[in-house]
Each structure stands twice: as structure tokens, then as C-alpha cells.
Amino acid sequence: MFDSKGITKLIALAVLVSLLVSACVATPPQAAAPAGEQSTTGGEQITLRWANIIDATGQEQWQAVVDAFQAKYPNIKVASESTAGSGAAVYPDVLKTSMASGSPPDLFFMWGGSIAQPFIDAGQVMELGPYYEQYGWDGKFAPWVVERIKSDGKLYGVPYHALGMGFWYNKTLWNEKGWTAPTTFAEQEELCAKMKEEGMYCVSMGGKFGWHTMRVLDYFLEHHCGPELHDKLNRLEEPWDQQCVIDSYASFQKWVDNGWVVPDFLTISPDDSRFPFFAGEAGLVLEGVWYEGVLKNNEQNVADYDFYLPPTDHEPLRFSAFPEQWMIPAGAAHPDEAALFIDFITSPEVQTQFPINDFANSATVGVNPDCNEWPLSCKWREIILSAKDTYPPTDQAFVKELMDGFFEVQDAIVAKRLTPEEGAKLMQQRAEEWLGRQ
Amino acid sequence: MSAITNTPPNHRPTHRHRRLRLTPYLFLAPALIWYLVFLVYPMYQSLTISFMNWDGLSADIRYIGLDNYRRIFFEDDTARLALWNNVLWTLGTLLIPTTIGLMLAVALDRKLRGRTVLRAIFYGPAVLPLVAVGMIWAWMYNPQFGFINYVLKAIGLGFLARGWLSVYETALPATFLTAVWGGVGFPMVLYLAALQAIPQEQYEAAKMDGANGRQLFWKITLPWLREANVIVFSLAVINSFKTFDLIYTMTYGGPGRATQVLGTWMYFHAFQYYNAGYGAAIAWVIAIITLVMAIPYIQRMSRD
């Protein structure tokens, strides 16, 4: 149909036509930013890719914040890329894939500790020290949160949430029974025994992913080992086959054997573990500051509930707490604009102007939730921001592979397939195996 | 006298011949390119990664030869447990859903009232997404408010009620029962198709010779199902070694590591433990086992 000359002519014609068409439909030059609006990137229109786990309801709330940012910086369009609902199970995989394929977002949400560490170790995130200086972020956040997100003394993230965990209980039910929040570990166990006598379980937990059960075991470790040793165990600076770990496993086995824990919980989903608590069959759940939202979502009367910090018999009374943060990938296309966006969304002014649910547990100092609307979050906020020290959940202290060794032992202790001594020994073996592979 | 010129035949392919010769390749090209880019190349990449120590994220990749494969078979207790669980799962799949599928096919091949509806009912679970099936069955197994314990208590067998997925000994069988529920429909359909291809004259002739029902089944039906058996058994083995969804949604490999299978253990290493090299090696172990098992299936399909 066409000889080679004909094809050449045809291609030349196509190129010419496409050039003409593109010239005709080219975007008109950007109008100058009106007064009050600020331009970055020299006026170039950019799209900022923002990876997060915000669900549909949260996205709706966040839209007002994003709109305010875009109105202030009209040359930046923020594109939210959400992996909602998966928690830490899938979201890090999504990030990992985007980074490995050379197409990372411009900024992303991340938990603290060992979940963030692989990204730091792989050199996939920026060290944000210069941005801390540029934006004056020092002093903007709760000090323990900043310390907790540091890696080798360097900051690779900007604090977003400061979250703590405690025992939640139905105070209306407790008032009827005449129970009060314990102040010592012995009182805690006495309370569990009383609940059992009343035909209730003491604690409800869901062991499916391991981390929900881990919170209770972490509490025992803090009690039996004390703050200093607990921290050293988390850093693998002390062996796990020592007496305080054995005692912790023994306490765990005792709670299960005494019927203080809702039975057969090992593969129950953490979400499903709420039902015995809501039904008044279990007296406690070890949950975080976010639980007020969970109560509301499950149509529970928040006024019926309260929480207390699990007594550890140590001073200061430490509780399990962890940060969440924003990070910027090393390969981000627009790191400066990402830092600008982070500065905007973490500023006390913006968080006060837009009191969305996600800001109720903000790591930013000077931001408080509406105490009429969120009384328990308000109470938590005082505790979290004034805490001298906290301990991390073990799953933010250990990498996932080692953590699954921890879960393996935890489950075996519950199922009585291991004695506390054997459990401690196996945990130490898992730690050594992991260290050996590093 | 006219000069006869013996011009040699022109062996140069004409434009038309060239085009005809290229045409099949042009038609094949889209599928071939797709196959090379999305299947062959990733497989090659994954094979290469399986010889590396790599976290899947950083630029630090180190060649370690067969170390990952050695670790699977000689150092990693969980990998060996996972392989054993896969073997148990495969044996169970070969025996139970296949037999039930055959029995249902034989029953539903007869002229029964409402057999189309019954076929649809029995095939129904096979079209449901396994993730949804796993979640529903996990709820049914819930020790506090699950349907299974409720029924056991209601019929006076309350002593059997337990946390089916939380007990080490029952977690894998309970998960497998879900797989049976969802896996009966597919062999049933394959056997039904095969049964309908059996010439009825053979049954009629055998009956005239005085054959009873059992003899008809063993002497006529079963030999005619040989082709279907190859397909059913091969696919059962391949799918058993690819098991992932039900374990992930129902037990997450627990309690402890009691229900880990190679598919989930590969996922844990490649995506959660940042051991991409080791995960790729497990993936290749699965691939090699399934390829070996698939040979009779592929041979039979190619011959057809």
C-alpha cells in the first residue's frame, strides 16, 4: 500500500499535524497569583502526591484542609493516594513497591519505630534536619514523640499523631459493681479475680495478628522487668531468657488459666474482640486514645466509658505509646513542596481552624480537641503531652520478622505448648537467629 | 529458430509471499509481547532475585548463590512446616473435594427434578471470592458467637464447641473444611461434562448383559473419566500448592505458625520481613513443585 518513501512522508505528516494540534491546545500561561496567594516552584503547576491511609470519611474531612492549602499555594495541587483499611499489613508494601519502581509519592504517612526503619535503612527517605531548621519545627511537637521518631539521632519524619494506650472500662457497670481503677499490679489482679467471681472475663483481646495480645504481654514486661530493662530488651541489649521475661510469660499464662481472658482468642480479629467488652462480658480492653472514636462508631454511649493507665508499680508510670509521622521519600519529585505541605497541616493554626477527627490526637503542641465533643481524647491529650516517658509497643521496637518470633512464643504460651521458661528460651533463640542474619 | 533462454526460476520471495509469511507472527505479536513482558521477564527477574540477599527496597543487593534454597530445606523450621502443611492440604484436596465432586456429578447426571438448580447450588461456592469466603467462615468459627459452636450447643454437642481456629490441632483442618466447601463445585462441573460424553449405548449393552450399578460405575463410568481425572487431579495439586487466601484471611498463619503454608510464608518474607530474595526462592520452590505436578495436565491438554 505504501512504499518506504510513502511511509516516511506519512510519518512526517503525522508529526507535523500533532505539533500543530498541540500548539493549538497548549495550556495558556498561568495567571499571576492573586493577592494573598503564594507561589512556589517559580509558578510551575505541580501535583503533590500524598500517600496516606485516610478512609473515605476522613478524606471528606481532610478536603477542607487541602482546599485551604491549595488556595494559599495555587500552583500546587494535592493528590491524595489512600490505602485505607489495611493498617500496617498492606500499606508499607504499597509504599515499598512505589519506591522500588522509582515512582514514590512526594510525602507519605508512616508509623514510628521498626515499621519506618526499613525505609530509613534502605536510604529511601530524606533526612529532614534542614527542613526542621527552615520551618522552625523544633519545639512544635511533644518532645517524647520527636525522640521516638529519631533514628541514630537523625530526624527522617515529622510527628503527626501522639498515641497512648490504657485499659478502657465501662464506668457505669463498674460503679454498679463498686469497682475502682487499680493503682498497683496486685490490685489489678485482685480486680480480675473479682470479675471472674461475678461471671465476667477481665480482658478481651483478639490474637489474630498478634499485636493486640502483645499489648497485654508488653504490660507484663513493663511490670516485671521495669522501665530500664524493658527498654534494653526491646533493643536486644539484654537476653530474653532472663527471669523477668519468664515471670511475664508466667503472668500471661496465669491470666489465661484463671479464665481472666476471653477464651479461644488466638485467631480472633482485634475488631471482633470488642463485642464481649460492649456486651459487658469482659471488663477491660487495652486500647488507645482512638477508642473514643471506636465507641462512637459502634453506637456506644461515650459517657459510660473511661480509661486508666495500667499500674506497673514503677515510677514514673510509663504506658505504651507510639508516634505516627509524615516522611518524604529520597526520590520525591517535589520534596520542598512536600515539606511546605507538612508544615501547613501540622501547624497549630490550621489544626485549630479545622478541628477534624485526625487532629484530635495531634502531636502538635497547642492543639486540643473539643473537650465537649471528645472528653476522653481530651483527657488523654493531657496525659500524652505531659508524659515524661513511655514505652513502645514491641511491634514498633522489633522488625516484623523478629516480631513474628515474639508472636509465635506468645501464642505458644497461651496454648500451653511452652512453659514460661521454654518460651523465654525460644524468644532468645529467635533474637539470636535474627541478629545472626544481620 | 528462436532462442530458448533458460532463465532460472526467481527464488526471491515476492512482496506478497513475505507478507503472508509474516502475517501469523503479526497476529501473535500482541499476545507474545504481553507474555514476554508480564510473565517471562518477571519470572526471570524473580529467579535472579532468588539467588540474592536483598530487602526489596534498597540498592544493596548481594549474590549468595543457593543459600536461600538451602535455608528453606535445611534451616527454616517454618518453611518445612509450611511445606508439610501444603502436602497435607494437597492430599486432603485430592481425596475429599474430588470424591465429593465426583459423587455429586454422578448423582446430578441423572434425570432428577430440579437438577439444574442443585448444580447451581453446589457450584455456587466455587464462584465466590476466597477472601470473602474466608472472612465469612472465620465468623462462623468464632468461639463466642459463631454459627458452628451455636449449632453444636443447640444439638447437644456443646462439649465439642471450641475455638476451632485458635487451637493448634484444629486450625488447619478447620481452614481446610472451608476449602472443601468452596472447592467441591469445580471438580463436579468437570466430571459432569465428562459424564455427559459417555455413550449411553455402552450402559444399555452392559445392562442387557446383566451388569449391576456398581459394575456400571467401575467398568464404564470410571474408565471414561480418565481424561477428566488427569485434569481434576492436576489442578487440585496445583491449586493446593498455591493456597494463600483462606489461610491469610482466616488464621494469618496462626496460632503461632501452625497454619503457615508456602504461599503465606513466601508473602511474609517477601513483603513483610523485607527478605525479597528468600521470598523469591520460596516462590520458585512453589513454582517448581506445581510445574512438575502440571506436566501430565499440560501433556494431556497439548495432545488434545
Side-chain angles (χ1 to χ4, degrees):
Chain A
M1 198 172 154
F2 295 105
D3 58 13
S4 61
K5 280 184 185 171
I7 289 172
T8 313
K9 279 179 192 167
L10 193 69
I11 292 170
L13 184 67
V15 170
L16 189 65
V17 169
S18 64
L19 281 172
L20 283 170
V21 170
S22 63
C24 292
V25 296
T27 319
Q30 290 291 313
E37 295 176 355
Q38 295 172 30
S39 173
T40 65
T41 69
E44 181 196 346
Q45 194 71 32
I46 66 151
T47 299
L48 198 64
R49 290 175 55 209
W50 172 39
N52 57 64
I53 56 164
I54 300 165
D55 63 15
T57 312
Q59 295 281 356
E60 278 176 28
Q61 294 183 354
W62 267 95
Q63 196 53 51
V65 182
V66 170
D67 287 346
F69 177 78
Q70 290 178 154
K72 192 171 181 185
Y73 303 101
N75 60 319
I76 304 175
K77 182 179 182 295
V78 178
S80 173
E81 297 176 3
S82 174
T83 312
S86 63
V90 176
Y91 175 67
D93 303 346
V94 174
L95 286 173
K96 201 170 89 170
T97 309
S98 73
M99 288 178 187
S101 65
S103 175
D106 290 303
L107 73 154
F108 63 95
F109 162 86
M110 184 43 63
W111 294 269
S114 60
I115 305 177
Q117 198 60 39
F119 294 94
I120 298 170
D121 291 343
Q124 291 283 7
V125 287
M126 288 180 74
E127 201 257 296
L128 302 181
Y131 288 126
Y132 269 77
E133 275 183 32
Q134 182 183 339
Y135 289 105
W137 286 338
D138 287 329
K140 187 176 179 181
F141 307 103
W144 71 264
V145 182
V146 179
E147 282 307 308
R148 192 65 71 73
I149 64 168
K150 278 184 181 170
S151 175
D152 287 334
K154 291 179 184 170
L155 283 159
Y156 295 89
V158 181
Y160 167 42
H161 281 150
L163 304 162
M165 289 187 273
F167 274 134
W168 289 71
Y169 63 99
N170 183 328
K171 67 181 177 192
T172 308
L173 178 72
W174 281 35
N175 287 340
E176 283 171 19
K177 305 275 185 189
W179 297 335
T180 53
T183 54
T184 64
F185 188 79
E187 283 179 18
Q188 177 62 66
E189 291 201 323
E190 281 168 27
L191 180 64
C192 286
K194 279 183 198 165
M195 288 180 185
K196 181 70 184 167
E197 282 167 20
E198 294 277 344
M200 282 175 68
Y201 300 107
C202 182
V203 190
S204 180
M205 52 180 126
K208 185 170 183 181
F209 304 106
W211 49 261
H212 204 240
T213 312
M214 167 206 73
R215 293 173 182 171
V216 176
L217 187 52
D218 281 352
Y219 166 48
F220 294 150
L221 285 164
E222 177 72 6
H223 164 68
H224 286 292
C225 300
E228 196 181 336
L229 191 50
H230 189 184
D231 286 348
K232 284 184 176 172
L233 286 167
N234 280 342
R235 293 193 296 265
L236 298 182
E237 291 169 3
E238 283 281 337
W240 273 78
D241 51 358
Q242 59 184 290
Q243 192 56 46
C244 76
V245 178
I246 295 170
D247 293 342
S248 303
Y249 285 142
S251 282
F252 200 27
Q253 225 164 45
K254 174 181 164 187
W255 281 44
V256 174
D257 288 351
N258 287 355
W260 295 350
V261 182
V262 178
D264 297 321
F265 63 88
L266 280 185
T267 49
I268 296 297
S269 129
D271 285 353
D272 291 349
S273 73
R274 292 168 190 161
F275 298 119
F277 178 60
F278 293 157
E281 292 167 8
L284 297 165
V285 283
L286 188 38
E287 288 287 357
V289 52
W290 57 86
Y291 208 62
E292 187 169 23
V294 173
L295 292 171
K296 285 185 178 182
N297 291 343
N298 284 273
E299 295 172 358
Q300 297 291 307
N301 181 5
V302 173
D304 284 338
Y305 292 89
D306 204 349
F307 67 89
Y308 64 89
L309 299 182
T312 63
D313 300 348
H314 295 283
E315 281 294 333
L317 173 61
R318 303 199 313 169
F319 55 95
S320 182
F322 62 94
E324 290 172 346
Q325 59 187 323
W326 299 110
M327 299 181 111
I328 301 176
H334 308 294
D336 292 342
E337 288 73 19
L340 187 70
F341 183 62
I342 292 171
D343 183 60
F344 183 83
I345 61 176
T346 56
S347 79
E349 295 77 22
V350 170
Q351 294 197 353
T352 307
Q353 187 187 349
F354 301 99
I356 63 175
N357 292 1
D358 268 356
F359 294 153
N361 307 310
S362 171
T364 305
V365 175
V367 178
N368 291 305
D370 180 345
C371 293
N372 293 318
E373 183 78 15
W374 298 93
L376 296 172
S377 298
C378 223
K379 184 178 166 187
W380 260 116
R381 188 128 189 87
E382 280 180 32
I383 295 169
I384 287 170
L385 293 184
S386 62
K388 290 191 181 81
D389 195 7
T390 61
Y391 63 86
T394 309
D395 64 351
Q396 294 204 16
F398 285 177
V399 297
K400 186 77 170 74
E401 186 176 359
L402 180 57
M403 198 57 222
D404 276 359
F406 181 96
F407 294 152
E408 179 194 5
V409 175
Q410 174 182 278
D411 284 6
I413 291 287
V414 172
K416 295 189 87 172
R417 294 171 73 90
L418 292 176
T419 63
E421 290 79 8
E422 288 167 342
K425 203 172 161 188
L426 180 59
M427 187 58 219
Q428 176 60 15
Q429 183 190 323
R430 293 285 181 244
E432 285 170 7
E433 283 168 359
W434 182 79
L435 283 169
R437 281 197 292 276
Q438 301 315 301
Chain B
M1 206 171 111
S2 62
I4 299 167
T5 52
N6 260 343
T7 47
N10 186 1
H11 286 296
R12 285 181 61 201
T14 62
H15 184 68
R16 182 183 157 75
H17 281 138
R18 262 205 317 268
R19 213 169 60 188
L20 279 174
R21 219 167 51 197
L22 282 175
T23 304
Y25 295 102
L26 286 172
F27 278 109
L28 273 176
L32 202 63
I33 290 168
W34 186 91
Y35 183 77
L36 288 170
V37 171
F38 293 107
L39 205 78
V40 177
Y41 178 69
M43 278 176 75
Y44 165 75
Q45 278 288 74
S46 136
L47 183 64
T48 312
I49 292 169
S50 75
F51 299 118
M52 307 288 174
N53 183 5
W54 185 40
D55 61 7
L57 200 56
S58 68
D60 181 19
I61 306 176
R62 197 159 45 88
Y63 175 76
I64 54 168
L66 291 169
D67 273 10
N68 283 328
Y69 291 93
R70 189 173 46 76
R71 187 175 154 199
I72 293 172
F73 293 105
F74 300 106
E75 291 175 16
D76 186 349
D77 296 345
T78 310
R80 286 201 299 276
L81 171 69
L83 181 59
W84 175 241
N85 284 343
N86 271 118
V87 170
L88 290 177
W89 193 280
T90 306
L91 292 174
T93 307
L94 284 174
L95 194 67
I96 300 170
T98 309
T99 310
I100 298 173
L102 175 61
M103 286 161 64
L104 285 172
V106 171
L108 296 176
D109 190 41
R110 293 174 188 171
K111 284 179 182 146
L112 290 172
R113 273 185 72 182
R115 69 174 180 174
T116 311
V117 177
L118 286 171
R119 285 176 187 176
I121 288 171
F122 286 117
Y123 187 65
V127 299
L128 294 176
L130 280 177
V131 171
V133 169
M135 290 171 77
I136 293 166
W137 274 79
W139 272 65
M140 285 171 56
Y141 280 127
N142 187 293
Q144 265 71 51
F145 52 82
F147 176 74
I148 292 182
N149 279 355
Y150 174 80
V151 169
L152 285 172
K153 285 170 190 168
I155 59 173
L157 296 174
F159 64 94
L160 288 176
R162 66 200 61 211
W164 295 96
L165 298 176
S166 299
V167 177
Y168 279 68
E169 289 76 16
T170 57
L172 191 67
T175 316
F176 179 71
L177 183 64
T178 307
V180 171
W181 179 81
V184 161
F186 188 61
M188 181 195 80
V189 166
L190 289 176
Y191 281 129
L192 261 176
L195 286 171
Q196 283 162 14
I198 301 175
Q200 291 305 304
E201 300 80 30
Q202 295 206 1
Y203 287 114
E204 285 158 14
K207 279 179 192 167
M208 285 177 74
D209 289 341
N212 60 26
R214 188 181 295 178
Q215 285 169 322
L216 290 177
F217 179 77
W218 287 105
K219 303 288 182 186
I220 299 175
T221 307
L222 214 51
W224 270 94
L225 293 180
R226 200 176 297 144
E227 296 278 322
N229 278 334
V230 173
I231 298 169
V232 168
F233 290 162
S234 301
L235 290 179
V237 174
I238 292 166
N239 289 333
S240 296
F241 272 91
K242 280 164 47 189
T243 296
F244 175 86
D245 322 51
L246 287 179
I247 299 290
Y248 185 85
T249 50
M250 292 178 74
T251 65
Y252 204 63
R257 292 172 177 177
T259 56
Q260 283 288 359
V261 288
L262 286 174
T264 49
W265 198 229
M266 177 269 292
Y267 168 78
F268 274 65
H269 271 278
F271 293 99
Q272 303 221 318
Y273 300 167
Y274 296 89
N275 294 331
Y278 190 63
I282 297 174
W284 268 97
V285 169
I286 301 171
I288 289 163
I289 292 170
T290 47
L291 276 173
V292 168
M293 299 297 174
I295 285 171
Y297 171 65
I298 295 166
Q299 278 177 335
R300 193 57 58 109
M301 297 307 281
S302 310
R303 200 182 64 194
D304 291 346

